[in-house]
Amino acid sequence: MHTVVVGATGVTASDVLAVARAGARIELSEEAVAALAAARGIVDALAAKPDPVYGVSTGFGALATRHISPGLRAQLQRNIVRSHAAGMGPRVEREVVRALMFLRLKTVCSGHTGVRPEVAQTMADVLNAGITPVVHEYGSLGCSGDLAPLSHCALTLMGEGDAEGPDGTVRPAGELLAEHGITPVELREKEGLALLNGTDGMLGMLVMALADLDTLYKSADITAALTLEALLGTDRVLAPELHAIRPHPGQAASAANMAAVLKGSGLTGHHQDDAPRVQDAYSVRCAPQVAGAGRDTMAHAGLVAERELAAAVDNPVVLPDGRVESNGNFHGAPVAYVLDFLAVAVADLGSIAERRTDRLLDKNRSHGLPPFLADDAGVDSGLMIAQYTQAALVGELKRLAVPASADSIPSSAMQEDHVSMGWSAARKLRTAVDNLTRVIAVELYAATRAIQLREGLTPAPASQAVIDAVRAAGVEGPGPDRFLAPDLAAADAFVRAGHLVAAAETVTGPLR
């Protein structure tokens, strides 16, 4: 099994994906253990002094003015975890919780939090045992960290609350820890606060969304190319010299992908022969511009994620010179903005894909294809309602594009009077990515059927490879009406698993 070694200088996106999705094991580097011990020494020294230090010998948030005596500090740390584990609603996905815990461990190992090495090791042990704390949908405002979600994780470290075992059964966390030989932690000064105060949930969901969107944007380039081919459109608009004079890198990449898929097609450009059209519609002709802008948005979001993966997000933080200083680095705005930006791009990519599908189904705009790609129009309805479903998904994508980060609800008696709503932005982006997959699947279903209805014309080799692969995956081709939902589900699974990209790449080589 792959092992991820956590040091003191951050982790990579591939590390997050390996732990969250592939169950990679975690080890702490000697550098991280040394950084943990050094920072803890600073916290212990401050705890022994009579002067109050926020998070070490005081209350939290709006209650920070109270000095806490040494005899009550362990209770204070337990209490903050218990009281902040106040989430509600459905459980979030296992991969999200694993990413959340792993990224908190990343910050703990930076040596800026003051957490003892044994607490960090327990976090790694819980992840390695396949124990997943029960974390709920609601509870984070994305400002002073993802407080409620992280608190539910910290509760598991204490042997309290519920968690899911490696067999998928939810049980008391204490029982699961005992079965795996893990001793619950007894939190000391600052440790409870340090386990809760980070943007780890929203960052983990950003990293996973970017990985999913990398596949989906390639998939959308492929389906756009298939639709262009099915509509007998021209691939001359994909020429690299046209995109070089508007030098957006994402646009050039999308155009290159479409051109690679269409290479050798016997369908493209036929409308120039009898000149019924001068230009293709925007949804076809401008596909690289729209998908390319989304790709550039992803590049910006990836840069933000990279910076956050190298960051130590906590309050207060332990500095190398021995100071323990309060700060605002826990605010989720940098991550929340790009999560919302991606949701806008996802909605637009879904929207243009739906317009292409509708064009394939409209006999007045499909240039010779049967109405709704039906076998016997009138007797058969063809893909009419598949487009309804796609349109409903796009409508939902547009609603999900409304930014969460433009909202703020003050909390903690107005101490936390401006919050990022980054967790909410991340949750709705996950839904948007899920729905975009379905939207692309419907275009794939329609475009492959339409190409096969162009009798006497030979599709591009890459297109044929896609058609062969999707038919082998159980997605039926042209014919009389049948129960459509299973076909759409199979197309969805085909796109979701990356098989669409893989099929095209057997001919094109790696797409960009």
Side-chain angles (χ1 to χ4, degrees):
M1 181 180 292
H2 179 61
T3 298
V4 172
V5 179
V6 182
T9 56
V11 297
T12 66
S14 61
D15 291 335
V16 176
L17 295 170
V19 171
R21 291 181 163 172
R25 292 188 59 79
I26 301 162
E27 292 180 4
L28 308 185
S29 71
E30 293 182 3
E31 172 198 28
V33 173
L36 285 158
R40 185 65 208 179
I42 294 171
V43 170
D44 286 341
L46 289 171
K49 294 182 178 180
D51 301 326
V53 178
Y54 177 69
V56 177
S57 53
T58 70
F60 308 115
L63 303 176
T65 55
R66 178 177 172 182
H67 182 253
I68 307 299
S69 64
L72 294 174
R73 290 176 189 169
Q75 181 181 342
L76 170 69
Q77 300 302 319
R78 288 194 302 271
N79 285 351
I80 191 176
V81 172
R82 289 168 175 165
S83 66
H84 285 44
M88 294 182 73
R91 289 174 56 195
V92 301
E93 303 84 357
R94 182 176 185 269
E95 66 177 16
V96 172
V97 180
R98 287 184 61 83
L100 174 74
M101 287 189 71
F102 176 65
L103 288 168
R104 183 78 316 225
L105 176 60
K106 174 266 300 182
T107 283
V108 163
C109 288
S110 70
H112 291 295
T113 68
V115 168
R116 288 168 295 152
E118 50 263 46
V119 176
Q121 185 59 56
T122 301
M123 296 173 75
D125 291 342
V126 168
L127 285 165
N128 289 341
I131 297 172
T132 307
V134 170
V135 173
H136 299 279
E137 182 84 18
Y138 302 105
S140 174
L141 298 178
C143 183
S144 189
D146 291 317
L147 288 174
L150 283 164
S151 297
H152 283 275
C153 293
L155 201 65
T156 294
L157 299 178
M158 293 165 49
E160 300 182 17
D162 293 327
E164 180 186 296
D167 64 352
T169 303
V170 175
R171 296 166 52 196
E175 292 182 9
L176 289 168
L177 295 186
E179 284 184 6
H180 290 84
I182 301 171
T183 302
V185 298
E186 293 284 345
L187 298 176
R188 289 169 48 179
E189 292 92 344
K190 195 183 178 302
E191 289 181 334
L193 185 62
L195 293 176
L196 317 185
N197 225 335
T199 55
D200 307 294
M202 64 183 89
L203 175 58
M205 286 185 274
L206 172 61
V207 169
M208 289 186 285
L210 287 169
D212 295 337
L213 287 172
D214 180 67
T215 298
L216 287 177
Y217 268 81
K218 292 174 186 175
S219 299
D221 291 339
I222 295 167
T223 58
L226 294 173
T227 297
L228 183 153
E229 199 170 19
L231 292 172
L232 308 180
T234 177
D235 57 356
R236 293 175 63 182
V237 295
L238 305 174
E241 58 269 26
L242 295 175
H243 299 278
I245 61 175
R246 194 188 191 194
H248 294 291
Q251 176 179 324
S254 286
N257 285 347
M258 290 181 65
V261 172
L262 292 170
K263 186 176 181 180
S265 173
L267 282 80
T268 58
H270 278 265
H271 70 277
Q272 301 298 335
D273 298 338
D274 52 9
R277 292 171 278 168
V278 177
Q279 299 174 323
D280 290 315
Y282 282 13
S283 60
V284 177
R285 188 178 4 137
C286 301
Q289 285 76 10
V290 173
R295 286 170 170 272
D296 291 341
T297 301
M298 288 170 56
H300 171 62
L303 179 60
V304 171
E306 184 179 342
R307 291 168 178 164
E308 283 287 298
L309 289 168
V313 178
D314 194 15
N315 180 49
V317 292
V318 180
L319 296 174
D321 61 8
R323 287 180 294 147
V324 176
E325 295 284 0
S326 293
N327 67 91
N329 284 344
F330 49 74
H331 200 286
V335 183
Y337 290 167
V338 294
L339 288 163
D340 280 334
F341 198 179
L342 286 171
V344 171
V346 164
D348 201 33
L349 187 63
S351 179
I352 197 171
E354 184 275 329
R355 288 292 80 203
R356 288 192 296 263
T357 303
D358 181 68
R359 184 165 289 272
L360 287 169
L361 272 54
D362 183 353
K363 69 180 182 64
N364 296 311
R365 295 179 290 142
S366 65
H367 307 285
L369 291 169
F372 303 106
L373 306 181
D375 185 63
D376 183 3
V379 175
D380 294 312
S381 294
L383 306 191
M384 180 191 296
I385 307 305
Q387 185 268 331
Y388 281 35
T389 299
Q390 190 186 41
L393 289 163
V394 171
E396 178 71 3
L397 287 176
K398 293 175 182 178
R399 291 186 289 274
L400 292 167
V402 176
S405 58
D407 189 15
S408 178
I409 299 178
S411 57
S412 192
M414 292 297 287
Q415 176 72 7
E416 299 171 7
D417 60 351
H418 184 274
V419 298
S420 77
M421 294 295 184
W423 173 273
S424 298
R427 295 305 297 167
K428 69 184 183 66
L429 178 61
R430 282 181 69 84
T431 302
V433 170
D434 200 35
N435 283 349
L436 176 63
T437 308
R438 299 183 177 103
V439 169
I440 292 172
V442 175
E443 184 181 15
L444 172 66
Y445 188 38
T448 53
R449 176 183 282 213
I451 289 173
Q452 288 188 287
L453 290 171
R454 295 290 190 188
E455 296 180 0
L457 296 174
T458 304
S463 301
Q464 189 61 56
V466 168
I467 292 169
D468 292 343
V470 79
R471 297 290 174 259
V475 181
E476 296 291 337
D481 280 356
R482 58 183 166 272
F483 181 22
L484 209 54
D487 276 356
L488 296 178
D492 175 38
F494 186 77
V495 174
R496 196 173 298 272
H499 296 327
L500 171 57
V501 175
E505 288 183 337
T506 61
V507 175
T508 64
L511 296 172
R512 294 166 60 180

